[in-house]
Tab-separated table of all heavy atoms in Angstrom:
chain	number	residue	atom	x	y	z
V	1487	PRO	N	-1.506	10.525	-3.399
V	1487	PRO	CA	-1.252	9.083	-3.563
V	1487	PRO	C	-0.243	8.500	-2.575
V	1487	PRO	O	-0.109	7.290	-2.461
V	1487	PRO	CB	-0.710	8.996	-4.980
V	1487	PRO	CG	-0.093	10.346	-5.237
V	1487	PRO	CD	-0.932	11.332	-4.485
V	1488	GLY	N	0.485	9.319	-1.891
V	1488	GLY	CA	1.445	8.816	-0.916
V	1488	GLY	C	2.753	9.569	-0.969
V	1488	GLY	O	3.298	9.706	-2.056
V	1552	GLY	N	14.023	1.689	3.964
V	1552	GLY	CA	14.369	1.554	2.541
V	1552	GLY	C	13.171	1.513	1.617
V	1552	GLY	O	13.325	1.365	0.399
V	1553	GLY	N	11.975	1.636	2.157
V	1553	GLY	CA	10.781	1.683	1.323
V	1553	GLY	C	10.440	0.341	0.694
V	1553	GLY	O	11.199	-0.623	0.783
V	1554	ALA	N	9.298	0.321	0.037
V	1554	ALA	CA	8.898	-0.890	-0.686
V	1554	ALA	C	9.931	-1.209	-1.761
V	1554	ALA	O	10.160	-2.378	-2.093
V	1554	ALA	CB	7.516	-0.695	-1.297
V	1555	SER	N	10.582	-0.173	-2.278
V	1555	SER	CA	11.562	-0.388	-3.356
V	1555	SER	C	12.724	-1.276	-2.909
V	1555	SER	O	13.308	-1.989	-3.730
V	1555	SER	CB	12.110	0.958	-3.840
V	1555	SER	OG	11.058	1.760	-4.319
V	1556	THR	N	13.072	-1.240	-1.635
V	1556	THR	CA	14.132	-2.127	-1.135
V	1556	THR	C	13.647	-3.584	-1.131
V	1556	THR	O	14.425	-4.518	-1.362
V	1556	THR	CB	14.578	-1.661	0.270
V	1556	THR	OG1	15.245	-0.415	0.113
V	1556	THR	CG2	15.525	-2.644	0.936
V	1558	PHE	N	11.849	-4.854	-3.380
V	1558	PHE	CA	11.938	-5.371	-4.758
V	1558	PHE	C	13.188	-6.249	-4.923
V	1558	PHE	O	13.179	-7.203	-5.683
V	1558	PHE	CB	11.998	-4.221	-5.783
V	1558	PHE	CG	10.742	-3.380	-5.873
V	1558	PHE	CD1	10.777	-2.133	-6.477
V	1558	PHE	CD2	9.529	-3.839	-5.383
V	1558	PHE	CE1	9.636	-1.354	-6.575
V	1558	PHE	CE2	8.375	-3.069	-5.474
V	1558	PHE	CZ	8.437	-1.811	-6.066
V	1580	TRP	N	5.002	-0.470	-10.740
V	1580	TRP	CA	5.701	-1.022	-9.573
V	1580	TRP	C	6.062	-2.477	-9.781
V	1580	TRP	O	7.144	-2.914	-9.385
V	1580	TRP	CB	4.877	-0.806	-8.304
V	1580	TRP	CG	4.642	0.658	-8.103
V	1580	TRP	CD1	3.458	1.321	-8.223
V	1580	TRP	CD2	5.636	1.670	-7.840
V	1580	TRP	NE1	3.653	2.669	-8.031
V	1580	TRP	CE2	4.965	2.911	-7.794
V	1580	TRP	CE3	7.016	1.642	-7.630
V	1580	TRP	CZ2	5.634	4.114	-7.545
V	1580	TRP	CZ3	7.678	2.836	-7.382
V	1580	TRP	CH2	6.995	4.054	-7.343
V	1625	THR	N	1.563	-7.364	-7.496
V	1625	THR	CA	1.288	-6.072	-6.849
V	1625	THR	C	-0.222	-6.027	-6.631
V	1625	THR	O	-0.983	-6.017	-7.603
V	1625	THR	CB	1.718	-4.902	-7.773
V	1625	THR	OG1	3.017	-5.181	-8.292
V	1625	THR	CG2	1.708	-3.583	-7.030
V	1627	ASN	N	-2.333	-3.816	-5.521
V	1627	ASN	CA	-3.028	-2.614	-5.981
V	1627	ASN	C	-2.030	-1.746	-6.738
V	1627	ASN	O	-0.943	-1.465	-6.230
V	1627	ASN	CB	-3.593	-1.837	-4.787
V	1627	ASN	CG	-4.379	-0.614	-5.228
V	1627	ASN	OD1	-5.493	-0.718	-5.732
V	1627	ASN	ND2	-3.799	0.564	-5.064
V	1628	ASN	N	-2.428	-1.351	-7.935
V	1628	ASN	CA	-1.516	-0.613	-8.799
V	1628	ASN	C	-1.821	0.884	-8.701
V	1628	ASN	O	-2.712	1.403	-9.378
V	1628	ASN	CB	-1.629	-1.160	-10.220
V	1628	ASN	CG	-1.250	-2.635	-10.227
V	1628	ASN	OD1	-0.067	-2.980	-10.174
V	1628	ASN	ND2	-2.250	-3.505	-10.221
V	1629	THR	N	-1.064	1.521	-7.847
V	1629	THR	CA	-1.279	2.905	-7.421
V	1629	THR	C	-1.374	3.887	-8.590
V	1629	THR	O	-2.142	4.839	-8.541
V	1629	THR	CB	-0.092	3.322	-6.523
V	1629	THR	OG1	0.337	2.192	-5.754
V	1629	THR	CG2	-0.463	4.429	-5.578
V	1630	ILE	N	-0.580	3.633	-9.628
V	1630	ILE	CA	-0.516	4.578	-10.750
V	1630	ILE	C	-1.581	4.255	-11.805
V	1630	ILE	O	-2.253	5.144	-12.322
V	1630	ILE	CB	0.899	4.544	-11.375
V	1630	ILE	CG1	1.917	5.085	-10.352
V	1630	ILE	CG2	0.943	5.340	-12.678
V	1630	ILE	CD1	3.370	5.004	-10.788
V	1649	ASP	N	3.344	-7.143	-3.087
V	1649	ASP	CA	3.563	-5.736	-2.748
V	1649	ASP	C	2.172	-5.151	-2.477
V	1649	ASP	O	1.385	-4.952	-3.402
V	1649	ASP	CB	4.232	-5.042	-3.937
V	1649	ASP	CG	4.365	-3.531	-3.734
V	1649	ASP	OD1	3.933	-3.024	-2.676
V	1649	ASP	OD2	4.905	-2.869	-4.647
V	1650	MET	N	1.866	-4.948	-1.212
V	1650	MET	CA	0.555	-4.401	-0.836
V	1650	MET	C	0.666	-2.954	-0.371
V	1650	MET	O	-0.128	-2.491	0.439
V	1650	MET	CB	-0.093	-5.263	0.261
V	1650	MET	CG	-0.441	-6.663	-0.178
V	1650	MET	SD	-1.639	-7.432	0.933
V	1650	MET	CE	-1.817	-9.047	0.154
V	1651	SER	N	1.648	-2.238	-0.907
V	1651	SER	CA	1.899	-0.873	-0.426
V	1651	SER	C	0.650	0.001	-0.433
V	1651	SER	O	0.436	0.792	0.468
V	1651	SER	CB	2.970	-0.196	-1.273
V	1651	SER	OG	4.198	-0.853	-1.102
V	1652	SER	N	-0.165	-0.152	-1.482
V	1652	SER	CA	-1.263	0.822	-1.572
V	1652	SER	C	-2.643	0.242	-1.263
V	1652	SER	O	-3.643	0.938	-1.492
V	1652	SER	CB	-1.239	1.534	-2.934
V	1652	SER	OG	-1.160	0.621	-3.980
V	1668	TYR	N	4.694	-7.208	1.683
V	1668	TYR	CA	5.389	-5.995	2.119
V	1668	TYR	C	4.598	-4.761	1.707
V	1668	TYR	O	3.806	-4.800	0.766
V	1668	TYR	CB	6.822	-5.937	1.581
V	1668	TYR	CG	6.973	-5.950	0.072
V	1668	TYR	CD1	7.002	-4.769	-0.667
V	1668	TYR	CD2	7.110	-7.148	-0.619
V	1668	TYR	CE1	7.166	-4.776	-2.047
V	1668	TYR	CE2	7.267	-7.166	-2.001
V	1668	TYR	CZ	7.291	-5.976	-2.706
V	1668	TYR	OH	7.445	-5.993	-4.072
V	1669	ALA	N	4.835	-3.691	2.448
V	1669	ALA	CA	4.119	-2.447	2.167
V	1669	ALA	C	4.886	-1.266	2.732
V	1669	ALA	O	5.180	-1.234	3.931
V	1669	ALA	CB	2.723	-2.481	2.789
V	1670	GLY	N	5.181	-0.301	1.879
V	1670	GLY	CA	5.654	0.991	2.376
V	1670	GLY	C	4.495	1.589	3.166
V	1670	GLY	O	3.345	1.454	2.778
V	1671	ALA	N	4.815	2.250	4.278
V	1671	ALA	CA	3.722	2.658	5.179
V	1671	ALA	C	2.943	3.880	4.707
V	1671	ALA	O	1.821	4.104	5.164
V	1671	ALA	CB	4.303	2.961	6.559
V	1672	GLN	N	3.511	4.631	3.758
V	1672	GLN	CA	3.034	6.003	3.558
V	1672	GLN	C	1.706	6.175	2.833
V	1672	GLN	O	1.373	7.279	2.424
V	1672	GLN	CB	4.129	6.806	2.830
V	1672	GLN	CG	4.471	6.339	1.420
V	1672	GLN	CD	5.549	5.276	1.357
V	1672	GLN	OE1	5.794	4.572	2.318
V	1672	GLN	NE2	6.200	5.137	0.218
V	1673	LYS	N	0.935	5.077	2.696
V	1673	LYS	CA	-0.401	5.225	2.105
V	1673	LYS	C	-1.482	4.850	3.122
V	1673	LYS	O	-2.260	5.684	3.557
V	1673	LYS	CB	-0.515	4.393	0.835
V	1673	LYS	CG	0.437	4.877	-0.242
V	1673	LYS	CD	0.859	3.763	-1.146
V	1673	LYS	CE	2.144	4.058	-1.888
V	1673	LYS	NZ	2.212	5.306	-2.631
V	1681	THR	N	8.716	0.404	6.480
V	1681	THR	CA	8.114	-0.591	5.588
V	1681	THR	C	7.705	-1.796	6.413
V	1681	THR	O	8.510	-2.342	7.176
V	1681	THR	CB	9.142	-1.051	4.528
V	1681	THR	OG1	9.694	0.094	3.906
V	1681	THR	CG2	8.496	-1.945	3.479
V	1815	TYR	N	-7.498	6.362	0.286
V	1815	TYR	CA	-7.031	5.367	1.260
V	1815	TYR	C	-7.890	5.394	2.521
V	1815	TYR	O	-8.749	6.275	2.695
V	1815	TYR	CB	-5.573	5.665	1.621
V	1815	TYR	CG	-4.633	5.628	0.425
V	1815	TYR	CD1	-3.870	6.727	0.066
V	1815	TYR	CD2	-4.523	4.474	-0.347
V	1815	TYR	CE1	-3.003	6.700	-1.016
V	1815	TYR	CE2	-3.661	4.439	-1.438
V	1815	TYR	CZ	-2.907	5.550	-1.766
V	1815	TYR	OH	-2.057	5.504	-2.848
K	2336	PMP	N1	4.872	-0.286	-4.663
K	2336	PMP	C1	3.732	0.416	-4.798
K	2336	PMP	C2	2.459	-0.304	-5.125
K	2336	PMP	C3	3.738	1.804	-4.642
K	2336	PMP	O1	2.609	2.506	-4.801
K	2336	PMP	C4	4.955	2.443	-4.322
K	2336	PMP	C5	5.050	3.930	-4.068
K	2336	PMP	N2	4.137	4.724	-4.638
K	2336	PMP	C6	6.109	1.673	-4.224
K	2336	PMP	C7	6.024	0.314	-4.376
K	2336	PMP	C8	7.440	2.292	-3.891
K	2336	PMP	O2	7.449	2.541	-2.564
K	2336	PMP	P1	8.670	3.295	-1.809
K	2336	PMP	O3	8.630	4.700	-2.295
K	2336	PMP	O4	8.283	3.125	-0.372
K	2336	PMP	O5	9.915	2.595	-2.157
Side-chain angles (χ1 to χ4, degrees):
S1555 300
T1556 291
F1558 294 163
W1580 301 110
T1625 314
N1627 183 74
N1628 300 283
T1629 325
I1630 294 175
D1649 174 0
M1650 295 198 180
S1651 294
S1652 50
Y1668 60 91
Q1672 64 271 22
K1673 296 151 201 307
T1681 308
Y1815 300 122

